[in-house]
Amino acid sequence: MPGILLDTHALYWLVSGEEDLLEQALVAIGENQEAGTLFVSPITAWELAVATRKNRVAGRPHLGDDPPDRWFREAVRVTSARIIPIQQRISCEAANIVTDTGHRDPGDCFLMATARVRGIPIVTRDEIMQSIAAENGGYLDVIAC
């Protein structure tokens, strides 16, 4: 396997233990940790920072006393994940995803673009991403978590 990309909630739940991940996701994560092919996107740091600033309490990540940037760095370290930089090709593909799928969530579009450009599955529980993967065979590879 060339690697897997963790969606923001997958990284958060993996580190925080706040939600259980499915066994198939945990196996894939473990195998990729061993192989050095577990990846995250800097968009995850952005999504965490945005989520911690929302007024609603439900669904807001609990990062303890750490600011989002420190929590993200520590999460990357403890999971042995590697960061895939957002480069021009990923940025352009994120724009294509809006056109191709109609999905407009910027974080999701960048995460899907990262997975597509790298040719790796994304570990997610996101129903929209799972639907895109199911309806458009080969467009996006998803590992449900």
Side-chain angles (χ1 to χ4, degrees):
M1 184 181 293
I4 59 173
L5 176 69
L6 296 178
D7 195 350
T8 300
H9 58 268
L11 175 67
Y12 176 70
W13 293 334
L14 179 64
V15 173
S16 72
E18 199 168 293
E19 293 269 343
D20 291 332
L21 299 178
L22 296 175
E23 185 167 343
Q24 68 178 10
L26 290 172
V27 168
I29 290 167
E31 289 173 352
N32 282 277
Q33 283 174 311
E34 280 185 29
T37 55
L38 180 66
F39 298 106
V40 294
S41 170
I43 283 297
T44 292
W46 175 80
E47 285 192 313
L48 287 166
V50 169
T52 60
R53 288 167 176 76
K54 290 187 176 181
N55 289 333
R56 61 181 170 79
V57 174
R60 187 175 2 171
H62 305 286
L63 307 182
D65 294 331
D66 288 337
D69 60 331
R70 187 178 309 142
W71 189 95
F72 178 75
R73 280 193 310 273
E74 182 63 12
V76 168
R77 186 188 69 74
V78 300
T79 60
S80 302
R82 295 170 43 204
I83 297 173
I84 297 175
I86 298 171
Q87 297 171 333
Q88 178 181 345
R89 188 168 170 212
I90 290 172
S91 297
C92 291
E93 181 61 23
N96 290 339
I97 286 171
V98 174
T99 305
D100 293 347
T101 69
H103 193 42
R104 299 192 186 285
D105 179 291
D108 285 357
C109 289
F110 272 94
L111 288 165
M112 289 188 289
T114 301
R116 284 180 45 78
V117 167
R118 293 298 291 261
I120 58 176
I122 185 167
V123 178
T124 188
R125 198 174 288 173
D126 185 281
E127 291 177 2
I128 294 173
M129 286 189 206
Q130 290 179 357
S131 175
I132 289 168
E135 293 170 7
N136 304 298
Y139 186 83
L140 181 69
D141 189 10
V142 166
I143 297 172
C145 70

